[in-house]
Amino acid sequence: MTNFQGKVVLITGASTGIGAALARELAKQGASLVLVARNAEKLATLAAELDRTGQNILVAPGDVTQDGDLERAVAQARDRFGKIDIAIANAGFGVKGNLEALTVEDYRKQFETNIFGVLRTIYATLDDLKKLRAVWRSWGA
Ligand SMILES: NC(=O)c1ccc[n+]([C@@H]2O[C@H](COP(=O)([O-])OP(=O)(O)OC[C@H]3O[C@@H](n4cnc5c(N)ncnc54)[C@H](OP(=O)(O)O)[C@@H]3O)[C@@H](O)[C@H]2O)c1
């Protein structure tokens, strides 16, 4: 895996599962992290585990289905770290259960998180990611 020393990585859905596992691995690789999920307590526990100094991890509780939450997290990240290099739009869930017991509303909630939540993450971080693309271009990549 690439070395992430000096990189700032925003992860949505960082409180459990794949997001938390990514946070652990990226912290090991030297990245600074912006942890986003709804459960602030779980994020704080993870942040304390990953960085006792609190310097390299920003806990930014937020809900990807809510307009404004990601923009707030991104603004905090820019204040703390000055940039975001990588955004991992991981927050999401699967609708489980018997089709007959489920409703369109259940799937609508999933789309609001897994689809529009990803789009909110992309739009909120786009300025930072575009800056990075400009740097890559200047390197001829
Ligand atoms: N595990 C698999 O086999 C598998 C397969 C295919 C796809 N995926 C996808 O991979 C991603 C991670 O899966 P996982 O297995 O790690 O799931 P998980 O353990 O349930 O973790 C989901 C994460 O998303 C967060 N989240 C859910 N709704 C959110 C919202 N509205 N706003 C912000 N954060 C939200 C949860 O935190 P809070 O509750 O604290 O907000 C949690 O941190 C999901 O998008 C899932 O659909 C997983």
Side-chain angles (χ1 to χ4, degrees):
M1 190 186 260
T2 315
N3 190 321
F4 287 89
Q5 197 71 42
K7 296 281 182 278
V8 179
V9 185
L10 178 143
I11 306 171
T12 70
S15 63
T16 59
I18 295 167
L22 277 169
R24 288 191 173 93
E25 186 57 37
L26 289 164
K28 238 189 268 173
Q29 298 274 337
S32 295
L33 301 176
V34 184
L35 305 179
V36 181
R38 294 165 300 183
N39 191 319
E41 206 175 314
K42 282 188 182 165
L43 291 181
T45 303
L46 178 63
E49 173 200 318
L50 298 183
D51 177 21
R52 295 255 164 86
T53 71
Q55 295 293 304
N56 299 322
I57 314 276
L58 173 66
V59 170
D63 184 335
V64 301
T65 70
Q66 298 301 310
D67 291 337
D69 279 17
L70 284 156
E71 285 76 6
R72 194 175 57 237
V74 166
Q76 288 170 357
R78 287 179 188 139
D79 278 354
R80 170 77 76 88
F81 301 120
K83 62 173 184 171
I84 294 170
D85 296 302
I86 298 166
I88 301 177
N90 162 76
F93 65 95
V95 174
K96 295 179 195 139
N98 186 320
L99 181 80
E100 290 179 52
L102 293 166
T103 65
V104 167
E105 197 48 42
D106 294 313
Y107 294 99
R108 202 184 300 281
K109 281 183 189 146
Q110 187 191 28
F111 270 65
E112 194 58 54
T113 305
N114 297 25
I115 306 295
F116 297 117
V118 169
L119 286 169
R120 285 190 186 91
T121 307
I122 292 169
Y123 280 117
T125 55
L126 198 54
D127 285 347
D128 298 83
L129 304 182
K130 272 164 54 184
K131 274 183 210 155
L132 203 63
R133 192 177 57 178
V135 173
W136 286 340
R137 285 214 172 121
S138 73
W139 291 346

